[in-house]
Structures are given as structure tokens and as C-alpha cells.
Amino acid sequence: MESRLKVTIKDVAREAGCGIATASRVLNNSGPASAEVRERVETAARDLGFSFSAIGRALQGGRSMTIGCLVPSLANPVFAEAVQGVQDALSGSGYQLLIASSNYDGDADNEAIATLAAKEVDGLIVTMVAPERSATLKQARRRGLPVSLMFHDPIDGFLTAHVDNFQAAREVARRFADLGHRHTAFLSLRFSSSDRSRNRYAGFHAECRARDLPDPALIELGEAEANTPELLAEILASLGELTAIFASNDFLAIAVQKAARLMGKSVPHDLSVIGFDGIEIGRLLDAPLATIETAPNAIGRQAAQTLLEMMQGKACMQRPPLPFDFRAGATLARPRTESCDDDQGATWPPSVHSLKTDLKQG
Amino acid sequence: MESRLKVTIKDVAREAGCGIATASRVLNNSGPASAEVRERVETAARDLGFSFSAIGRALQGGRSMTIGCLVPSLANPVFAEAVQGVQDALSGSGYQLLIASSNYDGDADNEAIATLAAKEVDGLIVTMVAPERSATLKQARRRGLPVSLMFHDPIDGFLTAHVDNFQAAREVARRFADLGHRHTAFLSLRFSSSDRSRNRYAGFHAECRARDLPDPALIELGEAEANTPELLAEILASLGELTAIFASNDFLAIAVQKAARLMGKSVPHDLSVIGFDGIEIGRLLDAPLATIETAPNAIGRQAAQTLLEMMQGKACMQRPPLPFDFRAGATLARPRTESCDDDQGATWPPSVHSLKTDLKQG
DNA sequence: TTGTACGCGTTATCAG
DNA sequence: CTGATAACGCGTACAA
């Protein structure tokens, strides 16, 4: 029952019969101490179950050894994996992770950053609704707080770990176009509040233009439509001659399949679908999902590594975007109207799982 | 360019021409102050961009306003959602979340708890490999640190937010048995290191026994087999006359479907599958997955609420397990050998999505 | 080699 | 109503 709620270095010093400075030196191996007193201090510390107070240390040392991390939501496995990647990169560094989530709300974003800053985190790893417009974020940086972004494209001199959404989306358009699709749509949740979605649409649109194809339809879904296949089916039905859909994430892509089934439409023969993110589950579906495969964990790791370097005072440069893969799948085929002799889902050779895309910029 | 790295209450006081105590009282609304000085302090604080240091406060107040949370991995959406649930419950409480993950390693678990304790968190929310054997965890509690468990069944007087794995597994056995399945198996990852898996097997086994059915086969998969449908197919093939599989989580259940397809077996006609967790994606599959639906978010919320109450000094009691639902799906049917006239996947009426189970204890 | 004393930012106490 | 001061736990000059 030796349950003193807090045992401090003072207690250790008293128990060991020495000054607190000596105890500190011994326990930190940070200075001279006779073998004898060293022994006494160590046993005292062990007996009392002493451990340093990170708070005392932070106050005195000016560093909290804590990193703040803000993401929209951990319920989205992409962000959850990224945070796990951050953890992986931080493990062994001595830094702890303080997390916050905003539920995709821009005001909550700013509040969260302010809160994290008040906790005196030593650095910030952030995915938020609108970093380019967040005065709070810029102020934090101006105050000397290192900031590392995740998922965002480079902005305002912030360093970011990301995939090139624009190029990835062009790749999607290319895949559709090569198979003969002309009438396409881009499907997204929260289009207006996500720079990722906007950049994906921009790339998709640009590549369609470059090929003299009709502009893709832009469909922004609410949560309700996204989670209710019946509603989604209605929306799709109202769109007429569509043969291919680029879904801004894999969950949406799977929802599209479900909706198509409800409509009696066949994927991929009546409707081709390509997703985004490359979540593991897409591989395991009856009709493995064609998608752009990204590595959220790697994004988190890179963001954390960048931050660690910034905190060491190194001059850091923006790294090139992380690679994405186009993952072939059974949800992609030629449109039915273009060719009738070759529509048994032919474009998916099960042996080839993904093709690395070359990232020629521009 | 007013970029003093730290602006403290001292700076505010000097700027406002008053003592720091007065500044503190004004900024905290914690005592008397003349309207005039109040004004001066507030503008000074605003001008300087002052915000309180959580560290200084923690040191003086003895509370860090931080809660430590340990989970095996955020890459598992079940835990990620639970942590999000914790966040949800904590939002507005003033507490911040310090997270750690152990990657399912028991030693890392203990280390993480020690680290969180050193950060002087005000409470702990924990899912770990073996809480019942963790001296570190018990020591933390003995030191007066409130602890709230997630997912674990009640042990050692720890309060926990959980579903009754044993009863849920019995429900699965009942569903199989009612359809006429006799030869079943339980499929799990990390069986030996997860009390959840063990309890699920125990319940499954117990109910089979109670019905004079053969004991279910117990299959523990490595990561490799779980992620490689070909390997999983081999394992299933070697098991012979199996007609039904209870997978310890939905990902495994989906992997089983994939493997069955590879073997040319039909789900559910040759093999019925029931999963566990009830991840959203299961609903959207071609063959919606029959599963035990749990609510990880609710588990996180309950754990956090319990912890908040403990920290308020309230006497808390173990709450009853959170409810689980059996979610019907297209992966469950009578075994082929038992009845030949009724095997068009009949047991899944799409209108009825889930049936609430009654939680008679025992 | 050792111990005393100060400062980190905050709040609470207490005397003015 | 106000402000000086002690205390929280720690590291570290500096003095012994």
C-alpha cells in the first residue's frame, strides 16, 4: 500500500539522503556521482517507484516532447492509418502523440490547433479542411511551431506528405478513355470542403478536356445518399447515358456497385467504376475494385519524419509526392455500346494486380 | 513580426501595467478586478496573442487535463472507431487525448502505459493484450489513476466498456445450429493473445456442446494466410466436411468468401460464413455479410464517459455489456446436404436487417 | 563530488 | 480591489 500519489525527485533525494541535484544527475546520467551515492539513489528510486514527471521536465526544458496531430476523423480508415503511420515513425523518438479530430469542420479545425498549441506541442501534423485559409495555422507557424501537412497538396510554403491527386485523377481519366468511355462522372462527398476532392476532379476534368471528351458530370453526395444505396441508385438513374464513374474514395465506389446492382445494371458492363485510396478490402470483393492505390501509412510516416527533421532544426525541403498505383480490377471494362463481342469483363487479368504509374509532373 | 516565441502571463501583466495575479484573475474570471484594469489586461492579452500554457497550469493544478489512450493499432478500424468515440465523448470536456499503440505487443503495452503515466495523464482508456496480467496497469491504478477498459470483459475490478463476446458467440452457434449445420469451425487471428477471440471461441464451443453438436474446429491464422486467399483456401480445403465458419472478425469472413470462391465453393450453399464486428462495408458487398454487429464508437464513448465520471470522483459501477445485433446476410444458409429443395440463399430476407438479441446473462 | 538556489508558467493565499 | 509570494517538479548554474 505504498501509494503516495506522486513520488517526486525530492522524495528520492530524501530517501537516498542526498540533494535533489545529485539525484537528478544520477537518474539522468548527466553528471558526476560517487558509486556509493549512485547506488543509494537508484535503489531509492526503485523502492519508491519513481518516474520523472514529464510536466516538470517540459516546464523547465521548454520542450513538451509531444506532437499534436489533427485529422478530420479517425472513423475514416485512411486517416486512421495515416495516424498509425505517424505513430510508427515516432516510436522510439521519445515523442508522444496528442490527437484531435474536427469531424470535417473548419471551425473545429482552428480550435483544435489552438488547443494543441496551448498544450505546447513541439510540432504539428495536420490534415484539415482549409489549411490555406487557416490564420490559426499560420500563426502557429509564425510562433516557431514546426508544421507538417498530410494529404494536402503543397501550399504557402508548408511542407506536406501527399500523393499527387491531380495526376492520379488524370490516370483514371486515361484508363476510362483508353477503353472507349466518353460519358463519365466524378462522385464525391464534401466536394466543396475537400481540396483533395477538388484536385481529383480538376485532374479528371483536365484529362477529359485534353482528349476532347465531354466534361465529366460532377456529383456531390450528402451522407444520406452515400449510405443509402436506394437513394444513390435514384441519382445514378437520373444521369442517363453514363458509362463510367470515378468515385473519390473506395467506399463510394463500393456504394456505386451496390446501387448499380439495385438498378439491375451490371458492373462493369453497363457501368465501369474506379475508386480512390486503395483500401485493402477492395481486393477481397467478388469483383475486386479498380482503384488508385495510395499508402496512407506511408503518408503519415513521411509527415512525421519531416517533422522530426524540422524539430532538429534541419532545413527541410518539400519532398516529391508519394507514388500511387493504378490497381486493376473487375469493375472496369469497355462500355457495352462500343463493342459487343468483348464484354466478359476482359480487362482484368487476375495475375496483374497493379501497375506502377510514372509520375511525370505537369 | 511580433514573434516572441512564448508570451506568458507575465508579459501580459507588464503590458497591462499590473501584477500577474490580477492578470490571472481577469483572464480566468476568477476574482475581482476593476473594469479599468480588466480592460487593459484583456487588450494586452489580445495584442500579444496570449494563451495560457497548459503545462504551467498542469504543474500548478496537479491535473494535466489529458487522457491517455492505448489501443493495439489504429490500422484496425474497430479500434480507430473506438478512439473516435472516445474523442466524441471527450469533446467539450476540456480533456485532450494522448494516444499510444502497441501493435499487439504485450511488452509495448506496458511500456506505453508507463510512458502515459509519466506524462501524468488524468486517466487511462485502454485496450491491451493482457490487462489481467499487466503489473504496470495495476500499479497505475494503485497510484490513483482512473482506468477504463475497452473491449475487454470485466476483470480484476476494472471497469470496462464491452460487448459480451461469449453470448454473442453463442448466438452465432445458435444461428448455425438452427439451420442444421453440424460441422463448424472458428477462425481467428492471434487467438492466443486476444481475450476477445478466446471468449468468442468459448461461447461458440459452449453452445455447440449444449446442443450435442461436434466441437467446432479451431483455426488460428497467421497474417500471411489471412491476407493470401490462396493459402487460406488450402487450409479450408484440408478441413473436409465443414459447412459453416465463424470468423472472429469481418475481414477474416470476407477473406473466407474470397478463398471459397477460389476453391469453386459457393457461399452460402457449400459454406456458410458469419463474421464479427459489423463493419459498414459488409453491408455493401455483393453478398452482404452475416455478422455480429457491434458499435465500436459506442464502446469508446462509454469508456470515456465512465472515465469522466471516475475523474469526477463519482463511485462508478460496471455497466452492462453494450448490445450486439445479429445482422442477417447472404452468407448464411442451410447446408446443402441437409436440404436440397431450399437452397437458394433463402434465409436472408432483405427487408429485415438485424434482430436485436436479448442479453440474458449467464 | 555534492548541495543550494533559481527559473520555467501558472494559480492560490494572504497581506495591503 | 490589488499585488507580492509560495508552490508545483524539474534541470542546471554556481558555490562549496
Side-chain angles (χ1 to χ4, degrees):
Chain A
M1 280 310 141
E2 286 295 286
S3 49
R4 288 278 314 274
L5 284 78
K6 309 259 182 187
V7 28
T8 77
I9 199 168
K10 234 181 234 174
D11 301 315
V12 175
R14 185 167 2 89
E15 181 83 3
C18 68
I20 54 174
T22 306
S24 174
R25 278 187 294 254
V26 170
L27 264 13
N28 287 308
N29 266 327
S30 65
S34 67
E36 185 210 7
V37 71
R38 187 174 291 272
E39 176 65 20
R40 288 209 315 271
V41 168
E42 273 162 358
T43 56
R46 207 172 313 119
D47 291 351
L48 271 45
F50 169 80
S51 80
F52 285 106
S53 156
I55 293 180
R57 278 189 159 163
L59 186 59
Q60 119 73 26
R63 295 193 317 164
S64 66
M65 295 307 281
T66 298
I67 286 176
C69 180
L70 171 64
V71 290
S73 169
L74 291 170
N76 184 330
V78 172
F79 297 127
E81 269 182 52
V83 174
Q84 182 61 47
V86 170
Q87 288 268 28
D88 294 343
L90 253 36
S91 91
S93 70
Y95 285 96
Q96 254 47 53
L97 236 211
L98 203 49
I99 64 165
S101 59
S102 68
N103 199 28
Y104 302 94
D105 176 47
D107 295 335
D109 271 334
N110 287 316
E111 217 172 303
I113 289 183
T115 307
L116 292 174
K119 287 267 180 176
E120 282 173 80
V121 295
D122 297 329
L124 233 32
I125 297 177
V126 169
T127 303
M128 62 193 301
V129 169
E132 71 280 8
R133 275 177 287 139
S134 171
T136 316
L137 185 64
K138 285 172 186 159
Q139 186 188 19
R141 179 170 59 171
R142 203 175 329 119
R143 288 279 170 86
L145 196 56
V147 175
S148 180
L149 263 31
M150 293 191 296
F151 297 103
H152 297 294
D153 288 290
I155 33 163
D156 269 340
F158 282 105
L159 264 40
T160 183
H162 69 303
V163 300
D164 190 326
N165 289 292
F166 189 91
Q167 296 301 332
R170 285 186 57 200
E171 173 74 13
V172 172
R174 246 176 263 135
R175 299 282 171 166
F176 281 150
D178 288 350
L179 289 172
H181 290 278
R182 294 185 51 83
H183 299 286
T184 63
F186 176 80
L187 203 62
S188 158
L189 222 49
R190 297 185 208 84
F191 180 79
S192 47
S193 72
S194 161
D195 57 342
R196 273 107 51 214
S197 283
R198 288 198 304 273
N199 287 333
R200 284 168 204 168
Y201 178 69
F204 193 54
H205 182 272
E207 185 66 19
C208 287
R209 276 275 165 104
R211 293 175 175 242
D212 283 322
L213 295 172
D215 285 352
L218 171 57
I219 313 173
E220 181 174 13
L221 258 40
E223 301 279 350
E225 294 106 325
N227 293 322
T228 318
E230 289 77 8
L231 286 178
L232 183 51
E234 274 181 41
I235 294 180
L236 295 183
S238 72
L239 259 53
E241 50 183 349
L242 229 49
T243 65
I245 290 190
F246 174 25
S248 186
N249 71 59
D250 287 346
F251 287 98
L252 278 181
I254 292 168
V256 168
Q257 289 181 70
K258 177 97 181 182
R261 219 175 302 132
L262 240 46
M263 301 161 66
K265 278 196 166 190
S266 146
V267 171
H269 305 306
D270 298 320
L271 189 64
S272 281
V273 182
I274 296 182
F276 203 104
D277 287 339
I279 59 176
E280 192 49 37
I281 202 103
R283 276 214 162 84
L284 297 172
L285 303 182
D286 288 354
L289 180 64
T291 188
I292 295 290
E293 194 167 288
T294 68
N297 186 287
I299 288 189
R301 284 202 315 272
Q302 186 185 96
Q305 277 156 1
T306 299
L307 189 67
L308 286 173
E309 289 177 12
M310 292 174 77
M311 293 189 311
Q312 286 167 17
K314 291 190 192 168
C316 293
M317 279 183 23
Q318 174 61 46
R319 301 192 204 180
L322 285 158
F324 55 86
D325 280 4
F326 173 75
R327 188 205 287 168
T331 60
L332 179 59
R334 318 188 86 85
R336 203 188 278 278
T337 51
E338 303 284 326
S339 88
C340 289
D341 51 351
D342 178 18
D343 62 354
Q344 49 245 23
T347 56
W348 180 60
S351 54
V352 178
H353 270 69
S354 71
L355 302 167
K356 206 148 223 154
T357 58
D358 55 337
L359 295 174
K360 27 183 147 79
Q361 300 279 7
Chain B
M1 278 312 141
E2 286 295 285
S3 49
R4 289 279 312 274
L5 282 78
K6 309 258 185 189
V7 28
T8 77
I9 199 169
K10 238 180 229 174
D11 302 315
V12 174
R14 187 171 356 93
E15 182 82 3
C18 68
I20 55 175
T22 304
S24 174
R25 277 187 297 255
V26 170
L27 266 11
N28 286 308
N29 266 327
S30 65
S34 67
E36 185 210 7
V37 72
R38 189 173 290 273
E39 176 65 23
R40 289 209 315 269
V41 167
E42 273 162 0
T43 55
R46 206 172 316 118
D47 292 351
L48 271 45
F50 169 79
S51 80
F52 285 107
S53 157
I55 293 180
R57 279 188 159 165
L59 184 58
Q60 125 70 29
R63 296 193 316 164
S64 65
M65 295 307 282
T66 298
I67 286 175
C69 181
L70 171 65
V71 290
S73 169
L74 291 170
N76 183 332
V78 172
F79 298 127
E81 269 182 52
V83 174
Q84 181 61 47
V86 170
Q87 289 267 27
D88 295 342
L90 253 37
S91 91
S93 70
Y95 284 95
Q96 254 45 56
L97 237 210
L98 202 50
I99 64 166
S101 59
S102 68
N103 200 27
Y104 302 93
D105 176 49
D107 295 335
D109 272 333
N110 287 316
E111 217 172 303
I113 288 183
T115 308
L116 292 173
K119 286 268 180 177
E120 281 172 83
V121 295
D122 297 328
L124 234 29
I125 296 177
V126 169
T127 302
M128 61 194 301
V129 170
E132 72 279 9
R133 274 178 285 137
S134 171
T136 316
L137 185 64
K138 286 174 187 159
Q139 185 187 21
R141 179 170 60 171
R142 204 176 327 119
R143 289 279 170 87
L145 197 55
V147 175
S148 181
L149 264 29
M150 293 191 295
F151 297 103
H152 298 293
D153 287 289
I155 34 164
D156 269 340
F158 283 105
L159 263 39
T160 183
H162 70 303
V163 300
D164 190 327
N165 290 292
F166 189 91
Q167 295 301 334
R170 285 186 57 199
E171 174 72 14
V172 172
R174 246 175 263 135
R175 299 281 171 167
F176 281 149
D178 287 349
L179 289 172
H181 290 279
R182 294 184 51 83
H183 299 287
T184 62
F186 177 80
L187 204 61
S188 158
L189 222 50
R190 296 185 209 86
F191 181 79
S192 47
S193 72
S194 161
D195 57 343
R196 273 110 47 216
S197 283
R198 287 197 305 273
N199 287 333
R200 284 168 204 168
Y201 178 69
F204 193 56
H205 182 271
E207 185 66 19
C208 287
R209 276 274 167 104
R211 292 176 175 242
D212 283 322
L213 295 171
D215 285 353
L218 170 57
I219 313 174
E220 181 174 14
L221 258 41
E223 300 281 349
E225 294 106 325
N227 292 323
T228 318
E230 288 77 7
L231 287 178
L232 182 51
E234 274 181 41
I235 294 179
L236 295 183
S238 72
L239 258 54
E241 50 183 347
L242 228 48
T243 66
I245 290 191
F246 175 25
S248 185
N249 70 58
D250 287 346
F251 287 98
L252 278 181
I254 292 168
V256 167
Q257 289 181 70
K258 178 98 181 180
R261 219 175 301 130
L262 241 46
M263 300 161 66
K265 278 195 168 192
S266 147
V267 171
H269 304 306
D270 298 320
L271 188 66
S272 283
V273 181
I274 297 182
F276 202 104
D277 288 338
I279 58 176
E280 193 47 38
I281 202 102
R283 276 213 162 85
L284 298 171
L285 303 181
D286 287 356
L289 180 64
T291 188
I292 295 291
E293 196 168 286
T294 67
N297 187 287
I299 288 189
R301 283 202 315 271
Q302 184 184 98
Q305 277 156 1
T306 299
L307 189 68
L308 287 173
E309 289 177 13
M310 293 174 76
M311 294 189 310
Q312 286 166 17
K314 291 190 192 168
C316 293
M317 279 182 24
Q318 174 63 45
R319 301 191 204 181
L322 285 158
F324 54 86
D325 280 5
F326 173 75
R327 188 204 287 167
T331 59
L332 180 59
R334 319 189 87 84
R336 202 187 279 277
T337 51
E338 303 284 324
S339 88
C340 288
D341 52 349
D342 179 17
D343 62 354
Q344 49 244 24
T347 55
W348 180 62
S351 54
V352 178
H353 268 69
S354 70
L355 302 167
K356 207 144 225 157
T357 58
D358 56 335
L359 294 173
K360 28 184 149 72
Q361 300 279 7

